[in-house]
Structures are given as structure tokens and as C-alpha cells.
Amino acid sequence: MARSSSLSGFLELLPSERIVELHVLDTLREVFERHGFASIESRAVETVDTLLQKGEVDKEVYAVSRIHDDAGSSSEAKMALHFDLTVPFARYVVENAGHLAFPFRRYQIQKVWRGERPQEGRYREFTQADIDIVGDGALPFRCDVEIAVVMARALEALQIGDFTLRVNNRKLAEGFYRAIGLTDAAAVLRAVDKLEKIGEAGVVAELTAKAGATEQQAQKALALAGIRTDDSSFAEQVRDLAEGAEDTELMEQGLAELAEVIDELRARVPGRAVADLSIARGLDYYTGTVIETVLSGHEQLGSICSGGRYESLASKGKRTFPGVGLSIGVTRLVSRLIGAELLTASRSVPTAVYVALRSDDQWGAAQDIADALRARGISAEVALSAEKFGKQIKYADRRGIPFVWFTDEEGRHEVKDIRSGEQAPADPQTWTPPAEDLTPTITRNV
Amino acid sequence: MARSSSLSGFLELLPSERIVELHVLDTLREVFERHGFASIESRAVETVDTLLQKGEVDKEVYAVSRIHDDAGSSSEAKMALHFDLTVPFARYVVENAGHLAFPFRRYQIQKVWRGERPQEGRYREFTQADIDIVGDGALPFRCDVEIAVVMARALEALQIGDFTLRVNNRKLAEGFYRAIGLTDAAAVLRAVDKLEKIGEAGVVAELTAKAGATEQQAQKALALAGIRTDDSSFAEQVRDLAEGAEDTELMEQGLAELAEVIDELRARVPGRAVADLSIARGLDYYTGTVIETVLSGHEQLGSICSGGRYESLASKGKRTFPGVGLSIGVTRLVSRLIGAELLTASRSVPTAVYVALRSDDQWGAAQDIADALRARGISAEVALSAEKFGKQIKYADRRGIPFVWFTDEEGRHEVKDIRSGEQAPADPQTWTPPAEDLTPTITRNV
């Protein structure tokens, strides 16, 4: 994989690897469409103003400008490549609001670019696969449930092994902090989010120093982040921790929302989700449900699918468009699965049948045979010259093409399965390969 | 279409328009794969050096640079967005030559960017769909035939009306000029290529002034460009024009090649090609076959599919990789067909069935119904809240969803075709929509 040496951080796949990636993308699309999500694409560039609006100044953005810049163009807006699909989608929704039907379910599978320092598994160009539901003014909470279920099913459909959606809720966390008397929720979140980096003692120190917490409040905030259940029993644990608190309305709302997501995931995609109250999703724009996803055995990949609810990602005057969405980092996931040979394609070409040439003047007749196969949806390719049959078979073998077609001087046809060596008479008008050989198959070693 | 007002020259489609585009892209992919072409994608950026190597300095290239540029990065290569898929493919072939099997058939469907002045039908970001066959050292001429046939079939599969591949051959033109004593073929091509701009008299003047032609030679060069036949009878006309010439070897080679392409196209995709000796394809890297394609009734679109043979687009030391390829300008074509409503989608979402809600607490049961349909590949969506049935039907109607599913208090199911108003009992485990309603259909008014 990744022979591309001339620019680091930019992954390019070989044909057999691309077949694996295409299979992943096709599968995602199929699941998204089966659940009623419509495809859109946004342009690759946004104005710098749009990109930086959301406070994402820490993202390494790639600026785009015309090399042959001329006088007239200095008035053009400064542009940059998009670094995710959420900001462009928000802009698309606002610009096209008059032509969209809300609630609007969309999926978007596109490349994004980030000028980060290249390192293993981090790319400067990568594909994301997003689904979102966006409403006009209001969006029922059950959309959070739906998004989580659809993504869990999409990941199941990929058959890439065990994964776990780790679900939390911002209202729950903020409501809990409020309930125990911590009013600067952002400061608390910032501190708790550093748990892995600075440890429990460090978090307690920061909570007391920067969030105005007492030792007891700090311990409770820490204890909250330690709660993890695979059913809705987390609620009881949270209520125990907040015992005696009065202002628990927001917390209870968060508890109810999280319980609904977890219960539905348990019912519809069993074994795929936990309530994990440590999940914070940094300081992003989320306002309710937040989700990260780990792939078992590949924890160092980080979250392979993340997102959540945002009450006002987009707005147009007084009109706001609340949404909920999840995003799969396809390239990081696929490159890991390909690199470790956990997903491999049975061949490097779509071709199922290679039509051999007995003599160079038979090329037209050989194309007729190939056309008869193609007309029935069988991918076929004709040899370019009448080399020795051994060489022609080697051509097919090198690409993993399973069948080679021979026609003798009397016009009798035979087809050879070059894996088993079996050869049998065949009619171009009726012969069909076994279903599993029609298109490349993906082998899973997960 | 194209509500995107914030950046001119960047087209964005509405969901129903995107369904049309997806249909076009899926169709092209299907035809390419059926003929044994493998997918690859190259990164969106190339080094500026790579892009300008081919002398394409007149293309408006978009430079890419990190906004937060730091000291260490000044050593990074200057990058720009690719403006076509041929130059990146050549670079990919050289970089990955050791891992590819030649001859290598690939298709590539990706966005490219050009910083041209926006004008009708010209976009700064657009999708190209390319097929090429590349050899290692040598590539049989019949690849030219194959590429032309596959593309003609791809365009036929799109069902966008009549089109004509206009085919010429550089060897024929250069060989003819040489045969009649004109040795500076480039100068002759440059002059003849201006025919539409400066007229016959202008071309004759330029030929005598800059290509050292006599009046008679100039007239013959002009006459050559006027030859147009839908079979291989052009050869006789060319030979008549060159009567008495001695050095006709290259010309005869070109005549034979062009005849082979035209004859095979006549046989395999009748009525789709003419030999048109005016086609020059500018001063690009082509060395043999050159092709442009016009869509009848949309001549002002220019060529919708162009390309040809290049003997040495890529090289690695002494190793050269000859190739032949054609490229469809998808965005320009699709935006025209959508804009003129020549292609329209029957709905704006993939959803075939909208499951209505009788009461809000029935959402889970409604999802069970939807899941039963989805399990059989039927795209289904569940209402988000139990609004009045009239409103729920309107929701489906607005998106073009053909069927609405109702379940009464006794658990009896009925499905309503909201186009005809017909409503009938249905079982979620067995009911299937008519095949034509399973996915959005594309209506052609061409």
C-alpha cells in the first residue's frame, strides 16, 4: 500500500486495495440509502470565513489560491479546502434552505483535507462518510436514536469485527455539574477531558483551581466520568452520586435521552453500545448526545465513528437548523484494515473472464464472445495479442481473474477455472460463473 | 440547480439532481467494470512541478498551501490541485509501476479544479470520468479501438440522445503533411487548428507565412481538414489529395489505424462515429488516434468526451509507458441535462416507503415494520412524529416517496400509493413495491 512517496500524508491505493475501499463505500451507501438518507456533495472549497466561523482555528487548513492570479481576482473571497463535512453541510443547508424538505436526512461521502503533520494512520487527505438529520427550528430527539442505529448497522454491514459505540450526553454531564453546584460546565469539561493525559490527581487539581470546585465536587465530577454500563442502569449510579441535589432538571433530561439511545441500540443492534460517561468530544459544538466508536483490537486508531447532536450548527437570521450526525473516518479505518491484511480482495480487476486469443486475427471474434458475456453482466476482457496460452493464463492469474476462455479452430468453446485447473465446454450465450466469482470477493481475517 | 451563490464557478446540486448525477456515475462505472477496467483514485494535489511538466502552463492551476505555515514546512514541495486526471495517472503509473500489472486498464472518476473565469457551463470544480489503457514499453493499437468502443457504449448506456465520436489520427495528418512536402507538422497543425477562428483565407496565409507552405500545399492541408466520412472511404480521398507523393509511410499507417477504429465502431456501436480529419485536439501530447465527441442538439457544450493515444505520457528512466484514453466531462454534461430538465429524478430521496405514525408511542413498532422492508432491500423511513395523516402524506409527497404505510389500532397494515390514491392491505414481511418504484427512476426528455 501507499507507494506514493512524493508527498507524505497523501494515501493512494493499488487497484486491489481500491476494490476493498470501494466495497466499504458501496456498503455504507447501501445502508444509508436503505434508511432513507439522500446523497449530497458539497464543493471541496469553502471561504476561509466559513471555515473559521466555528472556532476551528486549531485545525490545519489548506488555503487555495489561483497561481496565475490577476488584478480582477483580488476581490475574490479567500478560499480553503474543507477539513470536515459538517461545516460545509451547515453552509449548504442555509444556502439551499428554500429548496430542501425538512427534516432533511442526508449522507455525504467525500474527501477532506487537513494539513496536519503526517504520522502513522493520520492523513492529510482522507474520506469521511457522514450521515445527519437536520430540522427546521426543531428536531425530535428520536433522530439521535435513529442516527446511532443506522451507523451501528452500517458498521455491522462492513463486517470488520467487534466495535462499541460509546454514548454520552452533554445535558447529563452539564446537568450533573450544575446539580452538584459546579456552574462553569465548560471549565469542568475541559479538566475532565484531560483525564488520560494528566491523571485523576491532575484533574482534581485543575477542577479546584480553574472550575471553583471543592475536593468533594471534584471527586464527584471524576466519579461521573467513571460510569460505564451497557444498559440504562447508569441512571441510578448518576442519581446516587447527585443525591441531595435540587436542580436536577437538565441532568434528568440528559439521563432520559441517554437511556433512550442505549435502550434502542440494545434492542436493534445488540451488543454494540455502552453508556460511557467519560465521552466529551472535546469542546465541539455538541449540545446533547455525543458518540465515539472503538474497534476492538484497534483501540489505537482512536474513534472510528464520532458525532452527536448540535442544537444550532446552522442558522439563517432567526431561523436555526438543529441537527444530529455521525461521521466515519473511512480512510484511517480502511488503510488500517488493508495494511494489516484484515480485508483483502480476491482480485485486482473487476474482470471475471479473460478471453484468450488463439491467433491475432481472432480478436474481433473474441470480442463477440466477451460481448455475449458482458450482455449478461459478466465482466470480461479480451487478450491483446495471441501469445502462448501459458502466458495468457499467467496474465489472468497475476490479476486474480478466475476464468480463461478458449475457442479452438472449430469454434468450440471451453472455459478453464485457473484456480482448480478444471476445464469444461461452455456456451458464450448461456455460461455464467458461480455467483461468488461474478465480482471480486472481499476476504475478512478479522 | 446551483443555489450556491457564495462562490461562483462551484456547482452544487440539490438532492434530486444529485440522484441524476449518481445515476450517471453509476452507469459509467458499471460499463467500465463490465469491460475489465479497474478503479483507482489519485490524490487531489500534485506538486506544481508535476503539473507544469507537461507544458500546461496555460491552465489556471489552484495552488494549495497550509494556512498555519510553520518554519519546518518551507521545505515542503509546492502543491496544487490537479486540473485533469491524465497527468496524475501518469505520475501514479510511474510511482507504482512495480506493483501494477501491464497492460493496465483503469477508470478514474474524480473531481478536478481549474481557476478559469466562471461562465455558463464552465466550472472551477468538476468531475471527470476517464478510462485509459497503459502499457509497459509497448501497447497494441487495438487498445485504441477498445477504448473508443467502451466509451461509445458508456455514452449509449446513459441514454442522453444522439452523439458522435469524431475520430482522427495524428500520424495520418503529420504523414500527409510530410508526404506533400510540409515538414513542420506542429506549425501546420497550429494553423489548421485555427480554422474556425480565422477562416480558410487566414489559415492559408498562416500556412504560407509560418509553415513554409506554397499556396497549393496550403490548399491541400485545408482540404485534408475538410474530409469527413462515416466509414473508411476517407482513405481514398486522402490518397487522392496526396497523389504523386513518395514518402507516404506514416500517412498510410495513420490511414490504416483510423480505418480500424472507424470499422470496429461501425460494427460494434453503429451510427456513433465519423472519421473527421479536422479534429486536432490542440497541441496536446497525442501521437496517434485523437477523438472528440459532440452531443446532438448540444453542440455548444463542446466536446463531451475527448482523448487519444499518447506514446510516452509517462516515463521512468529509459522505460516508457504508452497509453490511450478518453475522458468524459461529467459535470458540464450533467449540469446541462439537469438544467434543461432533460434528465429528472422521480424523487429527491432513496426512500420507497414512508411508514406513518398513528401515535407517538408507536415509533418503535413502526421501525420494526421499516426494518422488515429494509431487510428485503426496500428503502424505508419512519415518520418522526404522529402528525395528522394528511400532513404525513404531504411529507412523503413533497419528496416523491411513492408509498405510505399505515397500521391501525388492531395492527392491520395497509399501504397507499399516493400517486393513484389506491390503498390495499399489506404484510411487512412480504409486500414489495413494483420494481420501477424500488429506487428513484430517471426520466429522459431527450
Side-chain angles (χ1 to χ4, degrees), chain A residues 3 6 33 43 95-96, chain B residues 3 6 43 95-96 379:
Chain A
R3 319 295 158 201
S6 53
E33 292 188 348
R43 48 176 150 81
E95 276 187 9
N96 296 287
Chain B
R3 317 298 157 200
S6 51
R43 47 176 150 81
E95 277 189 6
N96 297 285
S379 176

Side-chain angles (χ1 to χ4, degrees), chain A residues 159-173:
Chain A
Q159 298 178 261
I160 50 172
D162 282 339
F163 61 88
T164 307
L165 268 67
R166 301 162 72 200
V167 191
N168 195 6
N169 189 294
R170 277 280 168 84
K171 291 179 192 167
L172 190 168

Side-chain angles (χ1 to χ4, degrees), chain A residues 105-123:
Chain A
R105 283 172 173 76
R106 82 88 174 78
Y107 75 91
Q108 194 169 346
I109 300 177
Q110 279 186 265
K111 298 228 171 74
V112 305
W113 294 268
R114 293 184 192 176
E116 300 180 5
R117 293 233 150 268
Q119 47 179 296
E120 217 212 306
R122 293 248 169 206
Y123 298 102

Side-chain angles (χ1 to χ4, degrees), chain B residues 300-311:
Chain B
Q300 49 322 13
L301 269 181
S303 175
I304 59 166
C305 175
S306 315
R309 157 75 70 144
Y310 35 91
E311 243 4 275

Side-chain angles (χ1 to χ4, degrees), chain B residues 63-79:
Chain B
V64 169
S65 57
R66 288 162 66 198
I67 280 187
H68 299 300
D69 214 350
D70 49 37
S73 69
S74 55
S75 61
E76 285 179 18
K78 280 197 178 137
M79 302 191 301

Side-chain angles (χ1 to χ4, degrees), chain A residues 307-324:
Chain A
R309 157 75 70 144
Y310 35 89
E311 240 9 270
S312 55
L313 184 76
S315 60
K316 188 176 189 175
K318 285 190 180 167
R319 200 170 164 195
T320 62
F321 301 93
V324 57

Side-chain angles (χ1 to χ4, degrees), chain A residues 231-274:
Chain A
D231 57 17
S232 50
S233 64
F234 64 87
E236 209 172 327
Q237 295 184 44
V238 174
R239 289 191 192 107
D240 283 350
L241 262 185
E243 217 193 323
E246 284 178 8
D247 182 9
T248 58
E249 192 186 331
L250 185 64
M251 181 185 94
E252 286 296 337
Q253 202 184 332
L255 287 172
E257 289 190 357
L258 183 54
E260 192 172 333
V261 174
I262 293 294
D263 286 343
E264 281 292 334
L265 283 168
R266 268 172 74 89
R268 298 194 182 275
V269 273
R272 298 306 192 184
V274 297

Side-chain angles (χ1 to χ4, degrees), chain A residues 3-7 10 12-15 18 21-22 26 29 33-48 57 59-68 70 72-73 76-77 79-81 91-92 95-96 98-105 107 110-111 113 115 117 124-125 133 139-140 142-143 145-146 153 264 268 348-351 357 360 363-365 367-368 371 374-375 377-385 395 398-399, chain B residues 3-7 10 12-15 18 21-22 26 29 33-48 57 59-68 70 72-73 76-77 79-81 91-92 95-96 98-105 107 110-111 113 115 117 124-125 133 139-140 142-143 145-146 153 264 268 348-351 357 360 363-365 367-368 371 374-375 377-382 384-385 395 398-399:
Chain A
R3 319 295 158 201
S4 172
S5 53
S6 53
L7 283 179
F10 291 87
E12 290 186 325
L13 300 177
L14 292 172
R18 170 67 177 159
E21 184 183 51
L22 270 178
D26 288 345
R29 173 181 169 185
E33 292 188 348
R34 211 188 319 138
H35 288 82
F37 287 75
S39 170
I40 69 156
E41 286 199 329
S42 59
R43 48 176 150 81
V45 298
E46 297 290 333
T47 64
V48 172
V57 282
K59 295 272 195 316
E60 282 279 5
V61 175
Y62 276 118
V64 169
S65 57
R66 289 162 66 198
I67 281 186
H68 299 300
D70 49 38
S73 69
E76 286 180 17
M79 301 191 302
L81 296 172
R91 192 262 314 146
Y92 176 96
E95 276 187 9
N96 296 287
H99 305 277
L100 300 173
F102 294 97
F104 176 41
R105 283 172 173 76
Y107 75 91
Q110 279 186 265
K111 298 228 171 74
W113 294 268
R117 293 233 150 268
R124 292 179 151 191
E125 173 180 72
I133 309 176
L139 188 70
R142 50 187 39 150
C143 291
V145 177
E146 186 176 337
R153 282 181 178 156
E264 281 292 334
R268 298 194 182 275
S348 64
V349 291
T351 318
L357 271 190
D360 273 319
W363 188 77
Q367 284 289 358
D368 293 340
D371 281 346
R374 290 167 184 147
I378 302 164
S379 175
E381 195 182 310
V382 173
L384 287 169
S385 52
Y395 176 104
R398 211 185 147 187
R399 290 158 177 80
Chain B
R3 317 298 157 200
S4 174
S5 53
S6 51
L7 284 178
F10 291 86
E12 290 186 322
L13 301 177
L14 292 173
R18 170 66 177 160
E21 183 184 51
L22 270 178
D26 288 345
R29 173 181 169 185
E33 293 190 346
R34 211 189 318 140
H35 288 81
F37 287 75
S39 169
I40 69 156
E41 286 200 330
S42 59
R43 47 176 150 81
V45 298
E46 297 290 333
T47 64
V48 171
V57 282
K59 296 274 195 313
E60 283 278 7
V61 175
Y62 275 120
V64 169
S65 57
R66 288 162 66 198
I67 280 187
H68 299 300
D70 49 37
S73 69
E76 285 179 18
M79 302 191 301
L81 295 173
R91 194 260 317 144
Y92 175 97
E95 277 189 6
N96 297 285
H99 305 277
L100 300 173
F102 294 97
F104 176 40
R105 284 171 173 78
Y107 74 92
Q110 280 186 263
K111 300 227 170 78
W113 294 267
R117 293 234 151 266
R124 294 180 149 192
E125 173 180 71
I133 309 177
L139 187 71
R142 51 185 40 148
C143 291
V145 178
E146 186 175 335
R153 283 183 177 155
E264 280 291 334
R268 298 193 181 277
S348 64
V349 291
T351 318
L357 271 190
D360 273 320
W363 189 76
Q367 284 288 357
D368 292 340
D371 281 346
R374 291 168 184 148
I378 302 162
S379 176
E381 194 182 310
V382 173
L384 286 169
S385 51
Y395 176 105
R398 214 186 143 186
R399 289 157 178 80

